[in-house]
Amino acid sequence: DQQVKQNSPSLSVQEGRISILNCDYTNSMFDYFLWYKKYPAEGPTFLISISSIKDKNEDGRFTVFLNKSAKHLSLHIVPSQPGDSAVYFCAASGQNYGQNFVFGPGTRLSVLP
Amino acid sequence: DADVTQTPRNRITKTGKRIMLECSQTKGHDRMYWYRQDPGLGLRLIYYSFDVKDINKGEISDGYSVSRQAQAKFSLSLESAIPNQTALYFCATSDLKGLQETQYFGPGTRLLVL
């Protein structure tokens, strides 16, 4: 059973609009969450992270929100740009995993010009 | 130059063959990882190493082995390749700051086992 879920395999958004990517997790011991972005033929690259002591972290156009009670996090991209088109992976880690990461299956975002 | 490199980038092999995937890093990180990516499953951890000579099994280590004989190099071997090992393989290094870790990935090796 997947401990980190991204239930939308794909998402299409118009350029300039907001993109919202969602991630749910089942293990309450996770205390650190990250988003990675992956272009074709490249490895994933780190985008933004959030610790469980926070409920929001912002970096430029990217904001991650964490709702611990719902075991849910989301990545907001505002405004979306065509260069944001990629696969986005959510990842979680916690002390019980020796800080190893558990990755979700990914969401493919397409930003339409 | 890339901080994390993987060779080869693409490989086709036959069932039963032994193959090795290489990973090198110039980031000076102690921690290194091998993952595989399959459609719909995200990235799954095969093996990881926190230092030279330190080897730990991940979620899906069966059928794989690794070697970490230098800080900068971490190799993954398939002793006897089988078709369900066809996947995209990623090496990663990590930087641990306090309790928060960020991983940096190589470009990947696409492996096809016939």
Side-chain angles (χ1 to χ4, degrees):
Chain A
D1 190 28
Q2 286 187 337
Q3 298 186 69
V4 178
K5 302 176 183 179
Q6 295 176 255
N7 292 322
S8 297
S10 63
L11 175 68
S12 292
V13 172
Q14 209 69 34
E15 181 179 5
R17 300 287 191 119
I18 184 171
S19 295
I20 300 177
L21 294 91
N22 294 303
C23 177
D24 297 288
Y25 60 96
T26 57
N27 193 329
S28 58
M29 298 306 293
F30 289 143
D31 56 14
Y32 183 54
F33 305 89
L34 307 91
W35 284 94
Y36 281 82
K37 175 179 178 180
K38 183 184 178 305
Y39 292 119
E42 296 182 11
T45 55
F46 170 72
L47 191 57
I48 192 169
S49 64
I50 188 167
S51 165
S52 60
I53 62 174
K54 295 185 175 181
D55 54 18
K56 176 183 175 181
N57 189 26
E58 193 171 352
D59 183 1
R61 296 186 297 113
F62 303 91
T63 303
V64 55
F65 296 91
L66 175 62
N67 182 333
K68 290 187 291 293
S69 60
K71 296 189 181 67
H72 176 82
L73 63 156
S74 60
L75 175 68
H76 293 208
I77 307 173
V78 182
S80 300
Q81 299 174 353
D84 296 328
S85 297
V87 176
Y88 289 79
F89 291 101
C90 171
S93 72
Q95 291 292 320
N96 281 358
Y97 290 86
Q99 294 158 346
N100 288 328
F101 294 163
V102 179
F103 285 83
T107 296
R108 181 178 301 278
L109 173 66
S110 298
V111 180
L112 309 173
Chain B
D1 285 342
D3 294 320
V4 184
T5 58
Q6 293 182 233
T7 55
R9 292 295 312 277
N10 294 280
R11 178 74 184 268
I12 300 173
T13 191
K14 294 182 178 180
T15 296
K17 294 289 188 182
R18 181 181 188 276
I19 67 163
M20 180 182 290
L21 309 183
E22 305 271 9
C23 176
S24 295
Q25 55 119 344
T26 58
K27 299 186 78 68
H29 292 163
D30 288 326
R31 298 182 171 208
M32 297 188 73
Y33 303 80
W34 275 104
Y35 291 90
R36 65 178 278 177
Q37 183 191 359
D38 298 278
L41 293 179
L43 293 153
R44 292 183 293 165
L45 183 63
I46 305 172
Y47 271 97
Y48 61 101
S49 169
F50 285 173
D51 203 347
V52 175
K53 302 295 186 181
D54 174 67
I55 301 294
N56 304 282
K57 291 183 177 180
E59 178 187 355
I60 52 164
S61 59
D62 287 349
Y64 302 95
S65 63
V66 291
S67 174
R68 181 89 185 274
Q69 294 188 326
Q71 186 202 40
K73 296 186 184 297
F74 192 35
S75 59
L76 175 71
S77 294
L78 285 67
E79 298 301 327
S80 178
I82 57 177
N84 77 0
Q85 291 178 312
T86 293
L88 188 53
Y89 290 84
F90 289 103
C91 172
T93 72
S94 72
D95 178 15
L96 185 63
K97 294 179 180 177
L99 294 177
Q100 297 185 348
E101 180 176 0
T102 301
Q103 293 191 345
Y104 301 88
F105 287 83
T109 295
R110 189 170 295 278
L111 175 65
L112 173 61
V113 182
L114 301 175

